[in-house]
Amino acid sequence: MRRALLLLLSLFVALPACDAADEGATTEGTPAQAVLPGKADDYLSPTSREYLLWGLGELTLDETWADADLGAKEQRVQELLGYQLKAYSHFLNAFVTDKTSSEATHGYGGFSGLVRGTTADWVYEPIDEAGLLWTFIWEIEMGGPRDLLDRLPMQVRGDGSQYFVLPLPKLTESQLVAGSYPRDFDPAKYTGAMDDLEVLIDPVGESIDAWPAYDRLFEDGTLDVMIVVGGDYNAERYDLRSAESHFEWLKSAGFKHSAKVWTDLTLESGPFTRTLKAGGRSVDVAITLVHPDIVPDAQLDQLRAAIVAAYQQMDVVIYDGHAGLDPDYSGVVYHYNPRRALSANELAELELPDKYQVYVFNGCKTYSAYPEAVYQNATKSTANLDVISTVSFSWLSQQTFTTSGLLSELLATRSGTHDPRTWLEILSQINRANNWNVYYGVHGLDDNAHLNPYTDTASLCQACARDADCPGEGNRCVGFSWGRVCGAECTADDGCPDGYVCAEIAEGHQITGRQCLPATYTCD
C-alpha cells in the first residue's frame, strides 16, 4: 500500500495550489538532565515568523481643502491613507512574494514573504498652519521565513535600524482611490514615474509553543474531521489524483470504510473510522473525505451544504486546494468548471459553533486573508479556534503528505495511547521535505495549554530512577547533581504549578524539551 501511494504521488507535477498514526516505542536511552538557566540558547521553529513593516510619509491635500474645517480635512486624510496603504500592501507583495516561472514578474524580488490582509495602520498629524500638509507613520504586518532579513537587500541606518527600499510607481489620487495599479509590476520593465519607499522592518515577538486543546476536541468521545479536496482547473485534474491518494492513505493508516476504491465515495457513504485511546478512554475518530466529483455537477449545492455543515459541526476541517489573496473571491474552492467556492468572507458569516475547532487552509498564500476573515465570525475567536495557513505557495503534489502528516501528528500514539504533540511538533512535521518553502504556521494558540494535557503534576519532585517511575504522559525523570526527580512536560512557566518553572532538559548535551521543575532547582 505504501509503495502504491508513493507511486501515485510521483505522478504529480510541482504545481502550486493557487487561485498512519506513529506507534513510537517508549525508550529509556540517555537520561534527561536539567539545564540550568543561561546554559542554552532560546530557539523556536519551524520555519517562519511575523515581521512589522513600517515607515514615514507625508501627504498633501490640494488647495480645494484650504477652507475646510480641521475635522473634514482629517477625515479626508484618513481616506487617502487607507488608499495609500492598500497600494503599499499591493507593491510590497509584488516585491516580497515568490513567483512561479510562468508569471510575468518571475525574477523580480521573491523572498517568500506575504503581507497579512488588513493589518495596515497609521498615525498622523498636520505639520502646517493651513492643515494641508500632514505627516504620518504607517505599519503593516507580514509573514516570512525566519531568515528573511538575510534574504532582503537590507540597508542599515546610523542608529542601527534596518530597512529596504521598495520601488513603486507614482500614482495619482484617482488611481489610488480606484485601486488601478499597474499589474504584473516589475520596476525593470515599468516606464512610468517611480518612487522609492524606505521600509523599516522588525521581527515581531513570537508566540509560545502550546498544545492543541485535545481535551476539548475529544470531550464528546468523538473527533470529527472533514478533508475537503478543492477543485482543480488544470486539464490533468490533480484534484482527483489528490482525492485518490488521500483515500489510499486513510486505508493504509488503518481507517475503516466500506468503499473499496475512492470512486465509490458518496456524500452518504459515511466517514473513515478508527478508535484512539486517549487520557484513559476511547475516542472515535471519524474522517469524512469529499472531493469535487463526489456528486454530479447538478448536485454541487449538496456538496456545498456538506462543507458548510462541517464548519458548523466538526472539530477539524482541512481544505486542500487552490487559494488566493482576495477573501471575497478565494476561499474553499470545492469545484472548477463550473467554479464553486465558499469564500473566506462567507465563512465569517456562517453560524459557526462556539466550541473549539481547528481549521486548516492548505493553499497558496492563505496567511494573507483566510485567518483574519474567519476570526471576524461572531462566535469564533482565538479562544475557540486555531487556524493553520501558508505564507508562500503550497504544492498540489504535497497535499496528501501535508494532510497525512498533520493527522498523524495530531493522532500520534506511544505504547498504544495518544501521545499529544504540540503545535510546533505538528508544524515541524508538515514543513519538512518538499514543503520546506511553504511556511505553515498556526494562529490563535496564545491561550492554548502550556502543560501536557495528560501529565500528572502530583508526582512533581517525587524521587525516581527512570521515566516509568513518573506517572502521566510526558512526565520525565530528570537528573540534578543531587539526585533524580519527576518533572512534567510543559512549554511555558504558566503551565506549571506555583513554585515551578518550565525549564529546559537535555539528553546527551542536546536540548530535547521542557519540564516543570522546582524554581529553586532543589526539592527541599
Side-chain angles (χ1 to χ4, degrees):
M1 182 69 74
R2 177 180 174 82
R3 186 163 178 252
L5 178 57
L6 291 173
L7 179 61
L8 181 62
L9 288 175
S10 71
L11 297 176
F12 286 73
V13 296
L15 289 179
C18 301
D19 209 50
D22 182 19
E23 286 283 349
T26 301
T27 60
E28 291 285 354
T30 306
Q33 295 290 326
V35 178
L36 299 181
K39 296 298 184 182
D41 292 331
D42 292 333
Y43 179 73
L44 182 65
S45 195
T47 56
S48 62
R49 66 179 307 166
E50 291 186 310
Y51 299 85
L52 182 67
L53 309 179
W54 61 283
L56 308 175
E58 289 186 355
L59 185 152
T60 303
L61 297 177
D62 63 46
E63 291 295 332
T64 61
W65 289 89
D67 296 329
D69 63 48
L70 186 61
K73 291 173 182 175
E74 183 174 357
Q75 184 175 352
R76 181 58 176 167
V77 168
Q78 289 186 25
E79 279 183 56
L80 293 176
L81 285 177
Y83 296 132
Q84 184 72 65
L85 267 66
K86 186 176 180 181
Y88 285 178
S89 294
H90 174 82
F91 291 108
L92 279 165
N93 273 336
F95 182 54
V96 301
T97 58
D98 286 340
K99 292 90 178 169
T100 64
S101 58
S102 62
E103 292 184 74
T105 55
H106 180 67
Y108 169 55
F111 306 98
S112 301
L114 184 66
V115 169
R116 183 152 65 90
T118 59
T119 59
D121 201 1
W122 57 83
V123 294
Y124 54 87
E125 64 178 1
I127 56 175
D128 69 338
E129 290 184 4
L132 296 179
L133 181 60
W134 297 68
T135 184
F136 63 92
I137 301 174
W138 61 270
E139 63 181 35
I140 297 172
E141 291 181 18
M142 182 178 78
R146 302 185 70 80
D147 62 350
L148 180 63
L149 296 183
D150 295 326
R151 300 186 184 200
L152 286 167
M154 301 301 300
Q155 301 182 45
V156 182
R157 290 178 170 165
D159 63 2
S161 58
Q162 301 182 84
Y163 72 97
F164 63 91
V165 175
L166 175 71
L168 68 171
K170 284 187 176 180
L171 301 176
T172 65
E173 185 174 308
S174 60
Q175 285 178 302
L176 285 172
V177 172
S180 55
Y181 317 130
R183 303 301 171 183
D184 298 327
F185 176 73
D186 182 342
K189 302 172 184 176
Y190 186 70
T191 57
M194 299 274 294
D195 274 329
D196 285 335
L197 179 68
E198 288 191 1
V199 181
L200 290 94
I201 179 169
D202 296 306
V204 174
E206 297 180 286
S207 294
I208 298 170
D209 190 22
W211 277 266
Y214 291 108
D215 55 339
R216 296 159 72 184
L217 288 175
F218 300 161
E219 64 184 349
D220 64 352
T222 300
L223 177 70
D224 293 304
V225 180
M226 176 175 277
I227 303 171
V228 181
V229 177
D232 180 35
Y233 48 73
N234 294 290
E236 293 84 357
R237 294 297 303 275
Y238 296 105
D239 53 343
L240 301 186
R241 298 188 190 186
S242 179
E244 182 176 7
S245 62
H246 280 79
F247 179 93
E248 295 293 340
W249 175 76
L250 287 165
K251 287 281 191 173
S252 69
F255 288 91
K256 297 178 181 179
H257 198 284
S258 59
K260 302 300 182 184
V261 293
W262 72 279
T263 51
D264 290 342
L265 292 176
T266 69
L267 289 180
E268 293 75 35
S269 58
F272 294 76
T273 59
R274 203 178 74 189
T275 301
L276 176 71
K277 292 181 180 178
R281 64 191 184 115
S282 291
V283 175
D284 295 324
V285 181
I287 301 180
T288 300
L289 173 64
V290 298
H291 60 82
D293 284 9
I294 201 168
V295 295
D297 286 0
Q299 297 176 15
L300 288 175
D301 285 348
Q302 295 179 26
L303 176 56
R304 177 189 175 91
I307 295 169
V308 168
Y311 281 104
Q312 293 178 322
Q313 300 169 15
M314 293 193 179
D315 301 303
V316 180
V317 185
I318 301 170
Y319 170 62
D320 283 337
H322 290 291
L325 303 181
D326 184 353
D328 281 323
Y329 179 77
S330 300
V332 179
V333 186
Y334 54 90
H335 196 275
Y336 265 101
N337 300 321
R339 185 184 185 278
R340 295 286 186 272
L342 180 65
S343 75
N345 281 343
E346 285 181 284
L347 285 174
E349 299 300 321
L350 293 180
E351 292 185 13
L352 298 177
D354 59 5
K355 73 172 185 175
Y356 173 75
Q357 293 178 293
V358 175
Y359 294 165
V360 181
F361 297 113
N362 184 26
C364 285
K365 306 175 181 179
T366 56
Y367 167 89
S368 175
Y370 285 55
E372 203 154 12
V374 295
Y375 280 124
Q376 296 302 312
N377 189 280
T379 56
K380 305 310 287 187
S381 69
T382 58
N384 64 9
L385 178 65
D386 291 345
V387 180
I388 294 176
S389 68
T390 63
V391 169
S392 191
F393 298 121
S394 68
W395 305 103
L396 293 174
S397 60
Q398 296 297 303
Q399 285 184 346
T400 304
F401 170 86
T402 303
T403 295
S404 65
L406 185 146
L407 289 173
S408 293
E409 291 295 298
L410 202 65
L411 304 174
T413 60
R414 183 188 306 216
S415 301
T417 190
H418 185 227
D419 179 20
R421 304 293 168 85
T422 67
W423 274 126
L424 186 58
E425 291 172 319
I426 294 169
L427 293 174
S428 295
Q429 168 65 23
I430 65 176
N431 266 296
R432 64 183 181 87
N434 290 339
N435 269 345
W436 67 272
N437 62 347
V438 178
Y439 307 113
Y440 292 97
V442 61
H443 309 251
L445 76 166
D446 281 354
D447 37 25
N448 288 29
H450 293 150
L451 182 70
N452 186 311
Y454 307 137
T455 198
D456 181 3
T457 57
S459 66
L460 287 173
C461 264
Q462 175 180 301
C464 58
R466 57 189 183 276
D467 289 349
D469 295 333
C470 302
E473 182 65 42
N475 291 59
R476 299 292 305 276
C477 184
V478 182
F480 293 84
S481 59
W482 44 265
R484 300 180 63 79
V485 296
C486 292
E489 189 178 13
C490 58
T491 59
D493 291 346
D494 62 4
C496 301
D498 290 344
Y500 290 82
V501 294
C502 187
E504 290 177 322
I505 60 169
E507 297 173 67
H509 305 292
Q510 181 176 356
I511 301 298
T512 57
R514 290 176 177 270
Q515 294 274 303
C516 291
L517 299 175
T520 59
Y521 285 82
T522 176
C523 286
D524 293 341

